[in-house]
Amino acid sequence: MSVSASDGEDDQRILTIKEKIRVVLDFPKPGIMFQDITTLLLDPVAFKNTIDLFVERYKDRNIAVVAGPVFLCISLLISNSVSARIEARGFIFGPPIALAIGAKFVPLRKPKKLPGEVISEEYVLEYGSDCLEMQVGAVEQRERALVVDDLVATGGTLCAAVNLLERAGAEVVVCACVIEVPDLKGHERLKGKPLHILVEAH
Amino acid sequence: MQTYTHKNTYLQQQEKMFAAENGLKGDPRLQAISESIRVIPDFPKPGIMFQDITTLMLNHEVFKHTVDIFVERYRDMDISVVAGVEARGFMFGPPIALAIGAKFVPLRKPRKLPGEVISESYVLEYGTDCLEMHVGAVQPGERALIIDDLVATGGTLFAAISLLERAGAEVAECACVIGLPEVKIWLVYLKDTRKMSKLLLDFDYEEPI
C-alpha cells in the first residue's frame, strides 16, 4: 500500500509541491493529462522541499544505494481506451537524495545507454514490452536500496527496477515517488515493497 | 550527452579553463574524481573511448566532491538558473542548483518536454540534432550556468547557450566534469561564451560520429 506523508508540518511543504506540478493536456497523446514536474524544478524552495521530505525519511535507514530509472517509457492506460508512453525522470530526484543521505546513485536506463556489462529486465506494457538495464557491479550483495522515480502509474518501471536490484543481490527497502496515479494501483506490482509517495496526480 | 569523435578535435586551449589552472591545482579532490571515471573502449561505437561517469556516482564521497567544487565556484556568482543538458547533465545539475538556491532547467531532445518549447539545431557529422527548452523557464536578465558531464567539440553547449540567450538570459559560464581531447582533464570551465561561439563558427572541426 502506498503511504503519503501526513504529518502537519509536512502538509505545508506538500502543498507547495502539489501546486507546482503542471498538468499538460493531451501530451504526449490526446486524452492524456501529463504530470509535468519541470515547473516544480523551477521553484528552488519547492524542489528543495521535495528532496528534504525524502531525505528526512531515509537518512537514518542505512541505505547504501539510491537507484533511479531514467527516461524510461511506461505505458499509461487511461479509461481503458487510450494508452501512451510517458518518460520517467528518476534521474533528477535520485542524485540529490543520494548525496544527502550518503548513498551511491545508480542509474537504471533504456537498453544500450549504459556502457560496460549490464543486466537487463524486460517488462510488459499494454502493447509490447520495454526493458530496463543496470550496470554489473553497481550494487553489492545485501546493500540496502531505495528506488526513486518522479511518478508511479502502473508500477511496471518500479517493478523492473526492484527486480534488477534484487537480481544483483541488493535488498530493496522502499520505493519512493513524487506523484502517484492512484487509479492504476501501481503499488500492487511492487512485490510487497512499501511505496512512499508525496502527492497524487491532479 | 556525448556527441563527439575519438579524433583530436577541440576548442583552442586558451578557451578552456581547467580546474587545475583555476586555483585548484593540487586539490586532492581532483585526483580522486579523475580516478573514479571509468574509460570504456569502443562504446558506443568502435574507436570511441567512452568516459563513464557512472563509476563516479557510485562513490558517494567523490560525487560529493564534484558537486562541492562546482558549488564553491558558483554560489556567489548570482546565478539563478542551472541548465542541464540531457541526460548526464541531469545528474550534476540538480544537486548544484539545490545547493546554490537556483532553479533547474532541463535541456532535452525533441518531443520530450511537454508544452511550449523553443528549439535549437546543431550540426552532427551526418545530419543535425536538436535541443529544446521550455518557454517561460527562464526570464530575461537571469544569469545562467550550463552543466554537462563532458565537452568535446562544444556543439551541444553552443546550442544550449543559444537557447538561454534567446530566452534573454545571460550565460555566466559553462561547466563540465570532463574536457576532451586529453582524457580525464577534469572540471572544465568555459568562459567567454561569446568567444567560444565565434570560435565554433570559424573553426573547421571534425563532426562527431
Side-chain angles (χ1 to χ4, degrees):
Chain A
M1 65 169 251
S2 34
V3 180
S4 313
S6 56
D7 184 82
E9 204 177 274
D10 291 349
D11 282 350
Q12 198 48 46
R13 289 188 289 179
I14 293 200
L15 219 60
T16 66
I17 292 164
K18 187 159 179 133
E19 58 194 24
K20 286 295 171 180
I21 296 166
R22 174 173 75 152
V23 180
V24 181
L25 301 176
D26 300 323
F27 182 89
K29 285 180 184 178
I32 304 293
M33 293 176 60
F34 188 87
Q35 308 288 312
D36 183 16
I37 50 96
T38 62
T39 37
L40 172 70
L41 307 176
L42 293 181
D43 183 334
V45 172
F47 186 17
K48 187 175 188 303
N49 284 345
T50 310
I51 301 300
D52 286 349
L53 282 164
F54 288 126
V55 169
E56 286 160 18
R57 201 174 172 99
Y58 303 120
K59 66 179 175 201
D60 297 321
R61 295 192 61 185
N62 247 51
I63 285 166
V65 180
V66 175
V70 180
F71 312 137
L72 195 71
C73 288
I74 58 174
S75 182
L76 183 61
L77 190 64
I78 301 283
S79 309
N80 295 319
S81 56
V82 178
S83 80
R85 289 172 182 266
I86 298 179
E87 294 191 295
R89 281 149 293 271
F91 237 18
I92 289 176
F93 297 97
I97 295 169
L99 283 164
I101 68 174
K104 57 173 107 166
F105 177 69
V106 175
L108 309 178
R109 301 202 67 173
K110 282 174 92 163
K112 295 192 278 294
K113 299 274 188 176
L114 289 169
E117 212 188 333
V118 295
I119 56 172
S120 296
E121 181 76 16
E122 205 175 312
Y123 63 102
V124 177
L125 299 171
E126 190 192 20
Y127 299 110
S129 62
D130 212 329
C131 194
L132 195 58
E133 292 187 340
M134 180 173 78
Q135 286 173 315
V136 169
V139 302
E140 288 161 35
Q141 291 283 329
R142 288 186 301 279
E143 279 195 307
R144 289 164 59 82
L146 158 69
V147 182
V148 175
D149 207 348
D150 69 327
L151 180 144
V152 54
T154 61
T157 313
L158 286 182
C159 181
V162 170
N163 286 339
L164 276 173
L165 287 156
E166 291 190 332
R167 280 168 57 192
E171 177 201 341
V172 177
V173 173
V174 59
C175 296
C177 298
V178 180
I179 307 165
E180 179 186 29
V181 183
D183 292 348
L184 296 176
K185 301 200 202 314
H187 57 265
E188 292 178 3
R189 281 184 76 173
L190 299 183
K191 303 166 63 172
K193 303 296 177 187
L195 173 65
H196 172 215
I197 59 125
L198 296 184
V199 301
E200 290 185 353
H202 290 303
Chain B
M1 69 187 156
Q2 302 195 0
T3 55
Y4 60 93
T5 176
H6 63 287
K7 295 193 184 173
N8 283 338
T9 53
Y10 52 92
L11 301 172
Q12 308 245 357
Q13 279 303 311
Q14 61 262 32
E15 299 305 321
K16 289 187 190 176
M17 287 166 42
F18 297 105
E21 293 147 15
N22 215 39
L24 283 173
K25 203 178 185 71
D27 189 323
R29 294 179 295 181
L30 290 187
Q31 181 71 18
I33 292 168
S34 177
E35 287 172 1
S36 73
I37 297 165
R38 176 172 73 154
V39 182
I40 306 264
D42 301 320
F43 182 89
K45 288 176 182 174
I48 297 197
M49 301 288 281
F50 188 88
Q51 306 290 316
D52 184 15
I53 45 90
T54 60
T55 39
L56 185 161
M57 296 190 298
L58 291 182
N59 183 328
H60 170 260
E61 199 179 351
V62 166
F63 189 13
K64 188 171 187 308
H65 286 331
T66 309
V67 172
D68 285 349
I69 291 174
F70 285 128
V71 169
E72 286 159 20
R73 182 178 177 82
Y74 296 116
R75 67 179 159 213
D76 297 321
M77 280 177 68
D78 246 325
I79 285 166
S80 59
V81 180
V82 174
V85 180
E86 165 171 11
R88 284 171 285 267
F90 288 19
M91 286 185 266
F92 298 96
I96 296 168
L98 284 161
I100 68 174
K103 57 173 106 166
F104 177 72
V105 174
L107 305 180
R108 299 203 70 174
K109 292 284 185 77
R111 291 177 296 285
K112 296 199 178 177
L113 290 171
E116 214 187 335
V117 296
I118 55 172
S119 299
E120 185 75 21
S121 292
Y122 58 101
V123 182
L124 299 173
E125 189 183 22
Y126 299 110
T128 61
D129 208 335
C130 195
L131 211 54
E132 292 187 341
M133 181 173 78
H134 267 140
V135 167
V138 301
Q139 305 302 317
E142 286 201 273
R143 278 169 59 79
L145 165 67
I146 298 173
I147 300 280
D148 204 351
D149 66 324
L150 179 146
V151 56
T153 63
T156 315
L157 288 180
F158 185 28
I161 292 167
S162 297
L163 280 172
L164 283 153
E165 290 186 339
R166 281 166 58 190
E170 176 202 340
V171 178
E173 205 159 84
C174 298
C176 303
V177 180
I178 306 164
L180 293 186
E182 291 168 76
V183 171
K184 294 190 197 175
I185 291 183
W186 45 87
L187 297 176
V188 180
Y189 310 123
L190 293 168
K191 292 208 77 163
D192 206 343
T193 52
R194 228 173 293 273
K195 246 170 125 183
M196 187 184 103
S197 308
K198 186 177 188 308
L199 202 68
L200 285 168
L201 289 172
D202 293 344
F203 188 49
D204 181 24
Y205 66 101
E206 180 84 24
E207 302 291 355
I209 292 171

